[in-house]
Amino acid sequence: MLEFEIKLQVPAAARAELAAELLKRSPENLRKQRLQAVYFDTPSRHLAAEDMALRLRREGRNWVQTLKEGRSSDGMLREEDNVRLSERSAAEPALDLARHHNSAAGRRLQRILENAAGEGLQRRFATDVRRQSQIQRTRRGFVELSLDEGWVSTTERRLALRELEIESVKGSPLAVLEAASGYVKRYGLWIDLRSKAQRGHLLADQRDHTAPRKAGSIALSAQASLEEVLAAIFADCRRQVLQNASQIAAQEGHAPEHVHQIRVGLRRLRTALKLFEARTTAQSHWHEHARSLAALLGESRDRDVLAEQLWPRLREIHAPLIELPSPNDLSSPQEVVRRREVQLWFLEWIEHGLHLQLGIEAGIRSTLQRLSRLGPSAAARASTAGSAANTESTAIARPAATAGPEVPAGVDKGSRPTPTSASERPAGVATQGAPHQALLEVLDRWHRKCRKLCRRFAALSVDERHDLRKRMKRLRYGVEFLRSLLPARRLENFLQVMELAQDALGEYNDLNVAHSLYKAHCAQQPEAWFAVGWLAAQAERSAASCTTVLSRFARTEPPWRRKDLPVSRAERASPAASGLPDAADRPA
C-alpha cells in the first residue's frame, strides 16, 4: 500500500487551539487512540540505511506489525505493509518476518538481512503516542488528519512528540498540500521530513540531529525530455532545502553546516530557474523567495564562518579580539525557517513537483496507449525508456492510495488518487520536451562569460569579483545538474579546476566580509583596527592567489564538446568569440 503524507510540527502555543478545532469541526468523526510501538533494526542499522522501518504497534487492544519502505528520499511517499495480528493481550507478541514475505518490501528486507553479516534484529526504541484523528474533505479530495502527542524513548533518553500528520485518503494527493497550507496559515506549523523512526534512531544513537543533506547525484537519461530533466533537478534541490530546513526548525537544534547546505540548495534552485528560464515563467517569483531566504540565513552564516575560520587565525597572531554585537533585528535560522511565508513557499514548491510528475506519468501512459496499437514490442520499448527517464529523483509525485482509516459514507476508501487535470498543471511548463543540447547551449554561454571575467580578474572591482564568484557557482551547479550526460574524464578535470577556483574566490570573499564587519565597529572599538589591517593584507594576498587559479580555469576546456552544442552555437563557439559578453547573460 502506497501512502502520500506530510508531517507538520506543532508549536506548544498552538496545540490547544488546534485540538479544539479538530473537535469542533466534526466531533462525531474524531477518533482517539493510544498507539504504543516498538521499532527494530540491526546493531549497525541496516534497515535505517535503506530507509526502511519495522515495528510492532499496539493500537487500542489490537497489535499490528508494519514494514515501511521509503519510495522517495524526502519521506512523503512510502510503501507500507500492515499485518493485523490475532493477539489482543497487553503482552508484546513475537516479531515474525514471515508476515511480510508476500510483499515487495518484505522481500527486500530479506535481502538486506542476508547481507547483514549475521547481525540479527533488536529493539532500538519505542514510541507512546496519543492520537486524535479525523477525515477531512478538501476541494481536491479526502485526507486523514492525525494529531500525535507523546514520546519517543530509549532506556536512557526520551524526546517529546507533537505533530500533525496529513495523509491522502481519496482524490488527488494535492488535497494533502491544500489542507497543510490552511494549518500553516492558522497555527504557524512547519514541515518536518523526518519520520518518527528517524528521530528514534537519532535518540538511540545519542545524536541531536541528522547529517546535513548535500546535493544528490541526478541520474538523467539521454532520451529524457526537458520536462523530465526539470522535474529531476527541482526534486533534488527541493530535498536538499527541505531536509536541512526540517532540522534547522527542529526543537533539537542544528549545526552550522545545515545552514550552509540549505543556502547551497537555494542557490542551486536559482540556477535551475535560470537554466530553464523559458519553461518556468510561472515560478519566476521563486527567485526572490530563494534570494531573500538565503540572505536572511546568510547573516548567521557569515558569523559562523568568522567564528570557525577567521577568529582562530586572529588568535594565532595575538590580535585583540573584540565582540561583534549582533544586529537587534537578526533572527535565528530557526525563526527564519519557521516563518509562515517560508513554509507556504515550501508547500508551493512541493505542489509544483507533484504537478510535474503527474504530468510526466500521464504523458507516458498516453504514449504507451498509442504505441500499444502498433504492437507489444513497441509498447515494451517505450515503457523501458519511460522507466529510465523517470528516476528516483522524481519519485515523490507518484499518486498514492490508502485504505487504512474509516472513511465517511459515500467515499470509496480503496480508490486511487486521480491525476490532476491539464488546467491544474503549472503554467509555463510545456508538455513536449526538446533535446538537452539546449541546456548545454546555456551553459556554454555562462562558461564563456566566466572565462572572460577570469582573464580580467586583476582589473575587476570588489563588487565585480563578487559577481564573478556568483557566476562561477551558477556555472558549477549547472554542470553538476547534467553531469550524467557529460564525458566523465573531461568533466572531472573541469570540476577539479573549478573547485580550486571557487575555493580561492570563497576565501577572498570571506576576508572581505570580515573586513567590512570589523571596520564598521572601529569607531566604537578602536582595537578592531588591528584586525582590519590584517584582513586587508590577507585579502590582497588572496587576490593574487585568485589571479593564478582563475588563469588556469580560463585555459581549461569545458566538459562538453563543440559537437554537443546545437549547430548554430557550435558555429559561433570560436576562440575569437569566446570572450564576448551576451546581453542576456545576467547573474543568478
Side-chain angles (χ1 to χ4, degrees), residues 259-536:
V259 178
H260 173 60
Q261 287 301 326
I262 190 176
R263 295 184 74 228
V264 170
L266 292 167
R267 288 195 295 265
R268 292 175 71 226
L269 171 64
R270 295 178 69 197
T271 297
L273 289 168
K274 187 70 176 174
L275 190 61
F276 292 89
E277 192 167 36
R279 291 170 177 263
T280 57
T281 54
Q283 289 74 46
S284 58
H285 60 288
W286 289 9
H287 271 290
E288 181 56 29
H289 281 302
R291 188 205 62 77
S292 61
L293 178 55
L296 288 169
L297 294 170
E299 296 178 9
S300 170
R301 175 64 182 167
D302 288 343
R303 291 174 181 270
D304 288 338
V305 169
L306 194 63
E308 294 175 1
Q309 300 179 16
L310 293 180
W311 281 351
R313 295 170 65 183
L314 288 168
R315 281 194 291 267
E316 288 177 3
I317 61 172
H318 305 291
L321 297 180
I322 67 170
E323 185 70 25
L324 295 179
S326 298
N328 295 330
D329 58 348
L330 180 63
S331 299
S332 70
Q334 183 187 77
E335 292 170 333
V336 170
V337 170
R338 287 186 181 184
R339 290 179 180 177
R340 284 177 171 85
E341 62 269 24
V342 172
Q343 293 296 316
L344 291 172
W345 175 49
F346 287 166
L347 289 172
E348 180 185 345
W349 193 355
I350 295 169
E351 180 174 345
H352 177 266
L354 203 51
H355 276 299
L356 280 178
Q357 184 64 20
L358 292 173
I360 290 170
E361 292 188 341
I364 292 174
R365 287 194 297 270
S366 177
T367 299
L368 289 174
Q369 290 172 0
R370 290 198 305 270
L371 290 178
S372 65
R373 304 187 187 98
L374 302 178
S377 59
R381 288 194 301 271
S383 178
T384 301
S387 298
N390 191 21
T391 63
E392 187 275 336
S393 295
T394 60
I396 175 178
R398 297 190 180 278
T402 60
E406 183 177 348
V407 183
V411 178
D412 178 9
K413 66 181 179 180
S415 63
R416 296 182 63 83
T418 56
T420 54
S421 65
S423 62
E424 286 187 296
R425 293 178 193 144
V429 179
T431 57
Q432 297 297 324
H436 65 268
Q437 280 85 350
L439 302 178
L440 293 179
E441 181 178 4
V442 178
L443 293 182
D444 185 65
R445 185 173 71 242
W446 293 356
H447 174 254
R448 289 184 291 113
K449 181 65 174 182
C450 287
R451 178 180 280 183
K452 176 187 176 183
L453 292 173
C454 286
R455 291 185 180 124
R456 298 181 53 246
F457 180 80
L460 300 179
S461 67
V462 172
D463 289 342
E464 289 172 330
R465 291 173 178 180
H466 182 58
D467 175 75
L468 171 60
R469 178 171 175 260
K470 291 191 293 184
R471 289 177 180 273
M472 292 285 281
K473 285 183 178 181
R474 185 183 70 176
L475 175 61
R476 179 171 182 175
Y477 296 147
V479 170
E480 289 178 340
F481 287 154
L482 304 182
R483 68 181 304 157
S484 63
L485 303 176
L486 296 170
R489 183 174 296 181
R490 290 171 65 101
L491 174 68
E492 293 309 315
N493 179 62
F494 180 80
L495 290 179
Q496 286 176 7
V497 175
M498 179 159 249
E499 183 176 4
L500 293 174
Q502 284 191 274
D503 287 346
L505 288 169
E507 181 188 29
Y508 177 77
N509 181 75
D510 290 342
L511 289 168
N512 277 283
V513 169
H515 180 271
S516 298
L517 282 172
Y518 273 94
K519 192 171 182 178
H521 291 85
C522 285
Q524 294 78 23
Q525 303 183 71
E527 60 270 29
W529 280 112
F530 185 99
V532 169
W534 181 83
L535 289 166

Side-chain angles (χ1 to χ4, degrees), residues 10-306:
V10 180
R15 181 264 164 205
E17 193 175 356
L18 174 58
E21 178 185 318
L22 295 181
L23 179 61
K24 181 179 179 181
R25 178 182 293 272
S26 180
E28 70 282 356
N29 185 29
L30 186 65
R31 182 183 182 191
K32 296 184 178 182
Q33 274 186 305
R34 184 180 183 184
L35 306 176
Q36 298 169 285
V38 179
Y39 288 75
F40 300 84
D41 204 338
T42 65
S44 299
R45 299 178 63 238
H46 286 85
L47 273 66
E50 297 295 331
D51 197 19
M52 299 191 80
L54 178 64
R55 76 180 180 213
L56 278 169
R57 186 166 77 177
R58 190 182 184 199
E59 303 176 357
R61 297 179 58 190
N62 301 307
W63 284 93
V64 179
Q65 182 173 306
T66 299
L67 178 61
K68 290 190 175 187
E69 178 183 15
R71 291 293 298 274
S72 63
S73 55
D74 47 32
M76 284 181 281
L77 183 68
R78 303 186 70 85
E79 181 81 33
E80 185 171 310
D81 185 32
N82 294 301
V83 180
R84 187 172 294 272
L85 311 185
S86 58
E87 292 88 341
R88 294 176 63 86
S89 65
E92 180 184 318
L95 186 70
D96 186 357
L97 301 185
R99 295 172 179 139
H100 302 293
H101 281 179
N102 292 329
S103 68
R107 291 187 289 271
R108 186 179 177 214
L109 172 63
Q110 187 175 8
R111 291 193 297 270
I112 291 172
L113 294 178
E114 288 173 354
N115 296 322
E119 291 189 24
L121 293 170
Q122 62 181 26
R123 298 166 63 104
R124 288 281 293 171
F125 55 90
T127 59
D128 191 351
V129 170
R130 300 281 183 175
R131 168 170 289 183
Q132 301 179 64
S133 60
Q134 69 178 201
I135 303 299
Q136 184 179 121
R137 182 173 185 170
T138 75
R139 292 180 299 110
R140 289 167 165 167
F142 288 83
V143 298
E144 182 185 29
L145 304 174
S146 297
L147 176 59
D148 289 348
E149 298 177 88
W151 303 90
V152 55
S153 61
T154 64
T155 55
E156 300 175 350
R157 305 173 67 194
R158 73 174 187 173
L159 177 70
L161 297 174
R162 187 173 54 251
E163 57 196 31
L164 179 69
E165 291 184 359
I166 308 177
E167 183 177 341
S168 176
V169 175
K170 183 181 184 295
S172 170
L174 294 169
V176 170
L177 305 179
E178 180 184 344
S181 177
Y183 286 101
V184 168
K185 290 177 182 177
R186 292 194 294 277
Y187 301 110
L189 279 56
W190 62 88
I191 301 167
D192 192 351
L193 298 187
R194 304 169 306 158
S195 66
K196 290 183 179 68
Q198 289 172 323
R199 298 178 73 184
H201 283 299
L202 289 174
L203 196 68
D205 294 338
Q206 298 188 354
R207 293 188 293 141
D208 291 328
H209 45 69
T210 58
R213 171 69 189 228
K214 298 183 178 181
S217 177
I218 304 174
L220 301 172
S221 166
Q223 291 76 38
S225 69
L226 285 184
E227 282 69 33
E228 290 167 327
V229 175
L230 173 63
I233 291 173
F234 269 23
D236 193 70
C237 295
R238 183 176 60 245
R239 278 194 292 273
Q240 185 177 13
V241 170
L242 266 62
Q243 289 191 9
N244 287 298
S246 294
Q247 188 61 65
I248 292 171
Q251 60 177 316
E252 300 95 320
H254 64 277
E257 185 63 13
H258 288 98
V259 178
H260 173 60
Q261 287 301 326
I262 190 176
R263 295 184 74 228
V264 170
L266 292 167
R267 288 195 295 265
R268 292 175 71 226
L269 171 64
R270 295 178 69 197
T271 297
L273 289 168
K274 187 70 176 174
L275 190 61
F276 292 89
E277 192 167 36
R279 291 170 177 263
T280 57
T281 54
Q283 289 74 46
S284 58
H285 60 288
W286 289 9
H287 271 290
E288 181 56 29
H289 281 302
R291 188 205 62 77
S292 61
L293 178 55
L296 288 169
L297 294 170
E299 296 178 9
S300 170
R301 175 64 182 167
D302 288 343
R303 291 174 181 270
D304 288 338
V305 169
L306 194 63

